[in-house]
Structures are given as C-alpha cells and as structure tokens.
Amino acid sequence: ELGTYDHYMQKEIFEQPDALANTLEMVGAAKSLQPGLFGADAEGLLKGVRQVLILACGTSWHAGLVARYWLEAIAGIPCAVEIASEYRYRESVPDPETLVVTISQSGETADTLAALQHAKALGMRRTLAVCNVPESSLVRETALRFITRAGPEIGVASTKAFTTQLAALYLLTLVMAKLRGRLDAAAEARELQALRHVPAAVQAVLALEPAIKTWAQLFGAKQHTLFLGRGRHYPIALEGALKLKEISYIHAEAYPAGELKHGPLALVDKEMPVIAVAPNDALLEKLKSNLQEVRARGGELFVFADADSEIADSEGVHVLRLPEHYGALSALLHVVPLQLLSYHVALVKGTDVDKPRNLAKSVTVE
Ligand code: F6R
C-alpha cells in the first residue's frame, strides 16, 4: 500500500494534489457554484444565517480558524471558532439563526459530536458537517454536509484531510458570499479558476522537499521552536507547530507575530529557531519588522516566503520561496512545507512518524 513511500504521512502529503482535485471535482466544469453542494436543503438553511459557529478539535480546529478569515472577509458574515471540548461545557448564548459548522476528518471525534449535540439542544438546527467519512456519526447528525474526498488517512498526523477541509470551507465561503450578494459573476469565475489551479499549485510546492530536508537537519538537536504567522497564516503557524510537536516531540509554540513583543520574545536566543510563515500579502511589512526583533536577539530564522517576497537570505536568516503567491488561498499552500518540515525532522530524530507515542488516530473518548 505504501508503494514508493516510506511512511503513510509522506504518502498522504504527496497525495494532496489528487485529494484536492477529487474534493474540488465539481468546480472542474461548473460555471457557477450552487448551495446544493452542501445538501438538498442547503439554500433554505444557508439563507438568512446571521453568523457562523465552527466547532472542531486539533487540526480540524485550525482549518476552522482559517475559515473565519475567509467567511468574514469574503462573505461578510460574523464567525466564531471554538474548540469543541470547550464549547460543550460552556454556558454560551445561542442564536437559532447561527450556522453551526462541525469539521472532522473521522466524523467520530467524541468532543466534536458532543459539541454538535449541545448546539442542537440549544435550538440550533442549521448544522453542517465538513467530514472525510461519508458514513460517519457526524454526517448522520447534521442537516447539511460536505464530504471531503481525501481518501483514507492512516498517518496519525492529519495532512491531506486538512487541506481538503480548507478547500471545502473555501467553497462554503464562496456560496455564502453569493447568497449574500457579495460575489458577482466575474468574481465567481475568477474564484473558480483559482480553485481549479489549486492541485497544480500544491504540486509545485511539494517540489520544495529537497530544500526542506536540508533544513530539517538543523532541527534535530533543538528542544524548542517558535512558529510565527499573521492573519489567516497564524492558524497555519499553529498547524505547523502541532505537526512538529506531534511527530518529532520537539516543543513548538505558535504566535501571531504581533504578539511577540508581549511576552514570547523573552524566550528567543540563538538556541531557539523561529519559523515564519511569510507570504507576500498585506501583512508582510509588519511581519518583517517582527522578524527583525527576533534577529536582534540572535534567533535563527527560517522563513517560508513567496517567489516575489522581498525577503533575502542573510546571516541567520534562511529563506525558502513558494513558487507563487496565491491570494486568499495561500494558507492552503503554505501549510504544505510545514508538513514536510515536521516529517523530515521526525526522520532525523528517528521517531515513529505514523504512530506517534500517546496518540490515537480517532479520539472517540472524551
Ligand atoms: C493532528 C490530528 C488531530 C485531529 C483531531 C480531530 O494531526 O490529527 O489533532 O485533527 O483529533 O480529529 P478529527 O478531524 O477526526 O475530528
């Protein structure tokens, strides 16, 4: 089953172009996006939604955090994202016009299922699952669904499930934007074009593997790592840190780069490598000054930039460039090198990549 790959995680990272092409199959020939993508009753249930509440755990929660940036910026709809195990035990203020979106690879995560049941018990009936397993409990319990077509994910560390969840959540954003009159035909055609190109764009990012492998050598002896990102790339920094701690057991933390000066900068010295997710977007200039703060304390920087970013290699600053800048979808591309980095660091450390200690693939207990 592994074919030419050494581990499922590696295989699943490299399957992402296909997983995305399958998940986005319907945009291939489509001239427009229809709410029906999310189920037969979707138009009725999605219309009049006043806000979105996303509930999930772990990597799926990170996908939700990215989606919040999209839903608010593109669809203009307020969005909250909550860790399922927190939501289910919290006294919250329910609004029946909320769209409750649950995200889960397995569809069997106990906390996510319980959070959904809690939301339903509070009177919220507009429910949607983004899930990779069509016959799962989660899908049975929601009014609407989008099934990602990542195929079975065997490695404990989630990779292709995450990027296909992002694709699904971007489709949801576009459908919501359209229902709310915020996406005209020309913009819709441009978005569909960009989505069709996503599998090839991910393929091009995967070609960075040899350079990432070289970087990974430098992390084998490290105890701690800091990940930085801003805006919709902050959740990508969180995801990079989760992948690294999960499979290489290196302590990793992620911060929105603007928070550095409010505390974590105290940790930075030459023993603390700092990984920056630095796409060429409106926040790049701000991020660059955050990175100078790190350099000034002797921290070694590993920067994932875009082809046209004005960031150069220099003493203590290593820069890898993704082939192109991808606008709103760049979060989906920028997670891929972080997956590869954690994989190769784990190989350097000799850990059990596909079955990290203490973890289960599907967490069906509280
Ligand atoms: C991390 C990872 C976990 C899962 C989490 C939720 O690599 O795999 O954090 O994302 O346990 O699982 P699902 O998506 O199945 O609900």
Side-chain angles (χ1 to χ4, degrees):
E1 267 206 39
L2 273 173
T4 57
Y5 296 103
D6 298 322
H7 298 94
Y8 283 105
M9 182 182 181
Q10 184 193 26
K11 177 171 181 265
E12 289 161 5
I13 290 172
F14 279 86
E15 278 172 353
Q16 288 177 112
D18 284 342
L20 286 158
N22 290 336
T23 299
L24 292 168
E25 193 183 54
M26 80 294 286
V27 305
K31 295 225 165 21
S32 73
L33 287 166
Q34 302 304 333
L37 277 175
F38 297 92
D41 313 332
E43 182 147 8
L45 285 175
L46 294 178
K47 257 199 182 142
V49 160
R50 269 203 298 255
Q51 55 176 326
V52 176
L53 171 62
I54 299 180
L55 302 170
C57 306
T59 289
S60 297
W61 175 64
H62 295 155
L65 290 175
V66 174
R68 178 160 78 104
Y69 288 89
W70 288 337
L71 283 161
E72 296 217 352
I74 300 170
I77 187 156
C79 177
V81 190
E82 196 155 340
I83 290 177
S85 56
E86 286 295 313
Y87 177 74
R88 62 181 290 195
Y89 291 119
R90 185 168 78 81
E91 282 180 45
S92 53
V93 183
D95 172 355
E97 307 315 325
T98 299
L99 174 68
V100 178
V101 179
T102 49
I103 309 170
S104 175
Q105 187 285 126
S106 60
E108 303 297 344
T109 300
D111 285 320
T112 306
L113 284 165
L116 170 67
Q117 283 147 7
H118 182 67
K120 282 165 61 174
L122 290 174
M124 289 181 268
R125 55 177 197 94
R126 301 172 193 253
T127 56
L128 165 70
V130 172
C131 188
N132 197 40
V133 182
E135 61 278 8
S136 61
S137 308
L138 192 70
V139 172
R140 282 199 299 271
E141 292 184 27
T142 50
L144 302 174
R145 69 213 37 115
F146 184 97
I147 306 298
T148 50
R149 289 171 58 193
E153 194 181 59
I154 292 164
V156 164
S158 185
T159 53
K160 61 179 181 171
F162 179 72
T163 43
T164 54
Q165 285 166 351
L166 289 181
L169 293 162
Y170 199 73
L171 289 173
L172 177 66
T173 302
L174 296 180
V175 165
M176 295 292 284
K178 208 172 150 179
L179 286 172
R180 297 163 68 83
R182 288 176 62 111
L183 191 71
D184 63 26
E188 185 175 1
R190 271 198 309 278
E191 295 286 0
L192 286 172
Q193 192 50 38
L195 281 169
R196 284 184 202 112
H197 186 59
V198 160
V202 169
Q203 193 71 55
V205 175
L206 289 169
L208 297 175
E209 189 185 28
I212 294 171
K213 218 167 149 174
T214 310
W215 278 15
Q217 301 297 325
L218 305 172
F219 284 80
K222 299 292 180 192
Q223 307 286 326
H224 309 277
T225 307
L226 189 60
F227 285 74
L228 299 176
R230 296 190 75 122
R232 59 184 178 257
H233 298 91
Y234 163 52
I236 297 306
L238 284 170
E239 175 60 7
L242 178 61
K243 288 289 93 98
L244 190 70
K245 59 189 135 186
E246 216 175 357
I247 61 165
S248 75
Y249 316 147
I250 293 176
H251 169 223
E253 280 198 67
Y255 268 91
E259 270 290 292
L260 255 188
K261 56 187 176 298
H262 299 289
L265 200 51
L267 288 170
V268 174
D269 63 13
K270 62 183 184 9
E271 294 309 318
M272 174 77 120
V274 177
I275 297 172
V277 186
N280 200 8
D281 64 14
L283 291 169
L284 185 61
E285 284 309 310
K286 297 260 177 238
L287 180 70
K288 274 160 75 177
S289 60
N290 303 140
L291 299 185
Q292 274 162 13
E293 294 161 10
V294 169
R295 256 328 277 152
R297 273 90 189 165
E300 195 166 4
L301 279 167
F302 296 83
V303 183
F304 289 98
D306 291 334
D308 52 355
S309 301
E310 286 178 21
I311 293 187
D313 266 314
S314 56
E315 171 80 31
V317 184
H318 313 268
V319 181
L320 249 177
R321 293 175 194 284
L322 272 65
E324 57 185 315
H325 176 60
Y326 221 63
L329 283 162
S330 90
L332 195 158
L333 298 191
H334 267 269
V335 74
V336 174
L338 302 185
Q339 297 168 343
L340 285 168
L341 181 66
S342 65
Y343 173 70
H344 284 289
V345 174
L347 292 191
V348 170
K349 295 205 63 183
T351 54
D352 187 347
V353 172
D354 285 332
K355 286 201 174 61
R357 66 187 184 198
N358 311 341
L359 299 177
K361 178 67 185 160
S362 184
V363 188
T364 54
V365 292
E366 231 194 273

